[in-house]
Amino acid sequence: MRIRINNVRLSLLHQVTLAQATAKKLGLRPENLDRIQVVRRAVDARRKKEIYLNYHVVAELDVPRSLLKRLLSKSDVSEYSAAVPAAPLLGTAALKERPVVIGAGPAGLLAALELAKYGYKPLLLERGQCLSRRVEAVRAFWKEGRFDPNSNVQFGEGGAGTFSDGKLTTRVNDPVMTEILQAFVAAGAPEEILSEYKPHVGTDKLRTMVQGLTRQIRELGGEVRYETQVTDFIFKEGRLTGLQLSTEEILPAQAVVLACGHSARDTYAVLQRQGVALEAKSFAIGLRVEHPQALIDQAQYGDFAGDPRLGPADYQLIYHTPDKKRTAYSFCMCPGGQVVAAASETGGVVVNGMSLYHRDSGVANSALVVNVTPEDFGRDPLGGVAFQRRYEQLAYAAGGETYAAPAQSVRSFLQGGAPDLQTAVWDGAGIAGGAAAVSAFLAAGSQSTAPGAVSKSLSEAAGSSGALTTLTASYRPGVKACALDSVLPPYVAATLRLGLADFDRKIKNFAGPWGLLTGVETRTSAPLRILRGSGYESLTHQGLYPCGEGAGYAGGIMSAALDGYHVARAVMARYKPF
């Protein structure tokens, strides 16, 4: 019989196998257990003097029925049965045209994949280039400042997380999550994402995964068109009948999944002009902070810092102002990564963070952001877009109008003096600066996943001592010293200062002399919501199915993918396969 055993704990202080620890928890001998499978693995570092790895496992058990009954009475033990994906309910209405999915981010890819699985032959439209050409366009932007407004970090397969840390965590509790993770593994993601508590793929392996998903969509009868933007929607008496494309083609359309992403501002403007129901929503803006990864490791893991069983440490921080009106918090924390240029419009600077699968750059970075609401930018649905654009353009001007980003050391930001980029010497062995990190990435091939490849380049860049002399900005095409108050709303800058002081009490030296800030981070989530009903269809326009993060219903790869899955099933519940 297969049983699930939760909370099997392995101390890093003792050499005990998972089988031994599982048997001990059950009061059995290891030979009574067979085929132990890890369901979930997490790190418990609440006590720095003894850190544990905490496992949920499934094991095959061969014991007498009386003993089995006693084991199943334990709170952490239960009979195991693998979840079986629910078959979709297929509708009866006829589709005169195949369903269209707009946008190849995580929501669009999963919607198209789900439709393709059941014979709907979807057409997936993506405004940017295919992934291999997009990688080259992004590299040209990072190296030389040559910006492509259609093929960039934010849109489509770029927005699918291929220039991010590839975190697959979510607060949403939905049994479909396992099915989605299995789809990612089938497309090329590493198998450990099925069991890690905080799974991540990394930008390098994400590219393989995204290409695997698009390949599956085609093999199942779908079509993917790149460099094809939807420039207008054609409605007749409140029902969608077609799409105007950038290729000057008018595409007949009956059911359209709109997964445009949170940066498709031109699409938002078209929807407003067409009278589609939209509403402004809250989001957050702020800066990126980076530290030597060794500093974060030591703060989080103490003497266990650097233990290969733990990997680079992350953090999650939050601070509320005394009046509870503002909150400063860390967002999209990237261990062992770098800060990247993420603009999607000419004349604006946007920062984001990413890391490769091995997270071995030696630099930790995270967004530090503050909530903003429609009270700050107005109730007009596009008010948040104008608000974002204003501060992105201020950052562009502050950086010298070359897509260089304004930056400032944490120390000078807190002191409010003359802005500088100087950080103190950090003597953590084997750690290199952020500039070397991004240089090593840019020099690597677009599909490079060799273990330690980046670490080796960084060690060579750091010199034989392996010691970091100064943490330099990892953002490319470059940074310029700037008082970051000039590119932020005053209340955001003030809240960030209060937050940094609070974070320093939680993570030693977080606000010390080793930190660097780069601005601005404005794309934490969509600034508006495309309103939809219980059947996932637009409240005002039939045939239009707003979906994912860009529609205001998700925040991250997993929740967006999940929304794409459910929207696809809503389409299937109405229509017969095409």
Side-chain angles (χ1 to χ4, degrees):
M1 180 179 183
R2 300 187 78 191
I3 63 170
R4 175 171 173 145
I5 309 99
N6 290 345
N7 299 314
V8 179
R9 289 162 62 82
L10 272 67
S11 169
L12 295 189
L13 290 175
H14 307 292
Q15 296 297 321
V16 178
T17 67
L18 182 58
Q20 290 169 333
T22 304
K24 183 178 180 181
K25 185 175 179 71
L26 295 174
L28 302 174
R29 295 189 300 272
E31 53 265 31
N32 292 127
L33 302 175
D34 191 22
R35 294 173 56 198
I36 294 179
Q37 172 190 346
V38 175
V39 176
R40 183 70 73 230
R41 175 189 179 274
V43 175
D44 182 354
R46 289 173 292 180
R47 296 173 57 209
K48 301 295 187 292
K49 292 186 178 179
E50 186 167 16
I51 292 177
Y52 288 88
L53 301 179
N54 194 48
Y55 290 88
H56 297 348
V57 302
V58 171
E60 197 80 38
L61 198 61
D62 183 16
V63 296
R65 183 172 295 275
S66 58
L67 177 54
L68 179 62
K69 185 176 180 181
R70 179 176 64 81
L71 291 174
L72 291 174
S73 69
K74 295 176 178 286
S75 60
D76 281 339
V77 182
S78 61
E79 186 174 349
Y80 176 76
S81 58
V84 178
L89 298 173
L90 304 185
T92 57
L95 273 170
K96 296 179 181 179
E97 310 293 342
R98 57 182 167 170
V100 178
V101 179
I102 300 173
L109 286 169
L110 261 293
L113 179 63
E114 194 66 9
L115 288 165
K117 281 181 183 178
Y118 294 96
Y120 286 80
K121 304 184 186 304
L123 170 60
L124 177 60
L125 302 177
E126 162 55 31
R127 70 191 294 172
Q129 297 170 316
C130 66
L131 190 57
S132 59
R133 292 179 62 194
R134 184 189 303 267
V135 167
E136 294 310 311
V138 170
R139 288 180 186 277
F141 177 41
W142 290 352
K143 280 185 175 182
E144 304 161 23
R146 289 192 283 119
F147 174 65
D148 186 329
N150 281 319
S151 201
N152 53 58
V153 167
Q154 296 288 358
F155 292 144
E157 290 182 344
T162 48
F163 300 99
S164 77
D165 187 60
K167 284 178 285 294
L168 303 181
T169 52
T170 178
R171 295 184 180 91
V172 178
N173 186 17
D174 189 308
V176 175
M177 288 298 183
T178 299
E179 187 179 345
I180 291 174
L181 289 172
Q182 289 170 341
F184 288 167
V185 171
E191 194 167 355
E192 67 261 26
I193 67 172
L194 299 175
S195 58
E196 286 293 321
Y197 175 65
K198 294 181 179 180
H200 100 105
V201 181
T203 185
D204 43 354
K205 290 187 179 293
L206 262 168
R207 293 170 194 169
T208 300
M209 184 186 96
V210 167
Q211 290 172 324
L213 291 171
T214 54
R215 182 173 60 252
Q216 288 180 26
I217 292 166
R218 290 189 179 101
E219 290 171 351
L220 292 166
E223 181 185 352
V224 183
R225 288 192 203 173
Y226 295 102
E227 299 182 70
T228 305
Q229 181 182 355
V230 174
T231 58
D232 206 350
F233 300 83
I234 302 169
F235 297 102
K236 184 177 181 180
E237 298 178 353
R239 174 173 286 280
L240 184 70
T241 61
L243 302 171
Q244 176 68 60
L245 305 182
S246 57
T247 57
E248 300 185 358
E249 174 187 359
I250 294 179
L251 180 72
Q254 184 178 355
V256 171
V257 177
L258 177 59
C260 59
H262 64 33
S263 294
R265 294 167 171 175
D266 45 8
T267 302
Y268 289 157
V270 169
L271 294 173
Q272 187 182 51
R273 176 173 54 79
Q274 289 280 15
V276 175
L278 312 172
E279 68 177 10
K281 64 177 278 290
S282 300
F283 56 100
I285 71 168
L287 307 167
R288 275 271 154 184
V289 66
E290 48 192 329
H291 296 93
Q293 182 64 51
L295 184 152
I296 304 301
D297 291 346
Q298 289 181 11
Q300 299 293 70
Y301 294 150
D303 292 342
F304 291 96
D307 190 306
R309 291 169 291 182
L310 296 175
D314 64 3
Y315 56 79
Q316 191 170 358
L317 300 166
I318 188 167
Y319 166 79
H320 302 286
T321 57
D323 62 6
K324 306 298 182 184
K325 290 184 178 180
R326 300 288 177 190
T327 300
Y329 60 97
S330 61
F331 174 81
C332 186
M333 193 274 156
C334 299
Q338 54 257 8
V339 179
V340 298
S344 67
E345 284 187 340
T346 302
V349 162
V350 182
V351 298
N352 198 359
M354 78 173 198
S355 61
L356 302 180
Y357 173 68
H358 293 288
R359 288 175 162 173
D360 54 4
S361 76
V363 179
N365 80 84
S366 174
L368 297 182
V369 294
V370 174
N371 64 303
V372 294
T373 72
E375 293 180 0
D376 298 310
F377 48 79
R379 293 287 171 181
D380 183 287
L382 298 185
V385 169
F387 184 87
Q388 291 173 325
R389 185 177 283 137
R390 175 187 176 189
Y391 292 101
E392 293 164 11
Q393 290 175 349
L394 285 173
Y396 179 74
E401 300 185 350
T402 61
Y403 294 101
Q408 186 175 15
S409 69
V410 170
R411 178 172 47 191
S412 69
F413 177 71
L414 287 173
Q415 292 173 349
D420 67 59
L421 303 176
Q422 298 303 311
T423 57
V425 172
W426 177 261
D427 58 2
I431 302 301
V438 78
S439 295
F441 174 75
L442 290 171
S446 62
Q447 298 296 327
S448 173
T449 57
V454 175
S455 290
K456 182 175 184 294
S457 299
L458 297 177
S459 298
E460 292 169 353
S464 58
S465 67
L468 173 68
T469 54
T470 304
L471 179 67
T472 50
S474 57
Y475 176 95
R476 288 292 179 270
V479 297
K480 183 176 180 180
C482 170
L484 291 173
D485 291 74
S486 66
V487 298
L488 293 171
Y491 50 84
V492 169
T495 305
L496 285 176
R497 286 191 172 91
L498 293 172
L500 281 163
D502 181 70
F503 301 159
D504 195 62
R505 289 187 284 270
K506 297 170 180 175
I507 294 182
K508 186 178 179 181
N509 288 319
F510 192 88
W514 296 281
L516 194 64
L517 297 164
T518 309
V520 287
E521 176 108 4
T522 54
R523 311 290 181 87
T524 54
S525 66
L528 59 79
R529 181 171 287 113
I530 308 171
L531 299 180
R532 68 189 188 190
S534 57
Y536 296 92
E537 194 173 27
S538 165
L539 281 181
T540 53
H541 291 68
Q542 294 179 350
L544 184 66
Y545 291 82
C547 180
E549 193 164 347
Y553 295 98
I557 294 172
M558 284 304 292
S559 60
L562 179 66
D563 200 54
Y565 175 100
H566 285 307
V567 170
R569 291 218 161 188
V571 173
M572 289 190 279
R574 176 174 293 182
Y575 298 103
K576 294 186 295 186
F578 181 69

